[in-house]
Amino acid sequence: MALRPEVKEALAAVAARLLAECLTKDQAAATLTAALQGIGEVGWELRTDGPIGGPLDQQEQIKQHVAQGCFIYSGTGWSADGQRRYFIAGQ
């Protein structure tokens, strides 16, 4: 299923913030959770073991950011039972 436009917009804002600021895992999780709750997204799971990734033109910046101990938003997917998952990643 496709993401609702407001979810896409919120995720883009979270991804930009997490790349601009150096947040811990807990801070990144709280940022993503607040954004999703703020737009009424329900029935999802937050995973903190996601792959480290993002737009191809930002790969080097993302690697350096994570190497500094920062967490990033790294994508969305589905569980085996169809629950939406949102991923943050870092070291």
Side-chain angles (χ1 to χ4, degrees):
M1 289 189 277
L3 293 171
R4 295 181 294 138
E6 57 269 24
V7 175
K8 284 184 183 181
E9 188 176 305
L11 292 175
V14 167
R17 178 174 176 197
L18 296 185
L19 195 54
E21 300 177 31
C22 187
L23 301 182
T24 66
K25 178 169 59 173
D26 290 342
Q27 291 169 326
T31 298
L32 180 58
T33 297
L36 292 172
Q37 289 176 341
I39 56 168
E41 188 73 347
V42 297
W44 51 272
E45 175 186 14
L46 172 61
R47 299 292 302 258
T48 59
D49 60 346
I52 296 172
L56 292 176
D57 64 340
Q58 294 180 323
Q59 288 299 305
E60 195 55 40
Q61 182 183 6
I62 289 168
K63 287 180 192 175
Q64 290 175 5
H65 198 62
V66 169
Q68 294 171 353
C70 311
F71 272 71
I72 60 158
Y73 168 72
S74 62
T76 186
W78 299 98
S79 68
D81 63 355
Q83 182 179 34
R84 173 72 75 182
R85 288 181 172 168
Y86 295 98
F87 294 92
I88 58 173
Q91 295 181 11

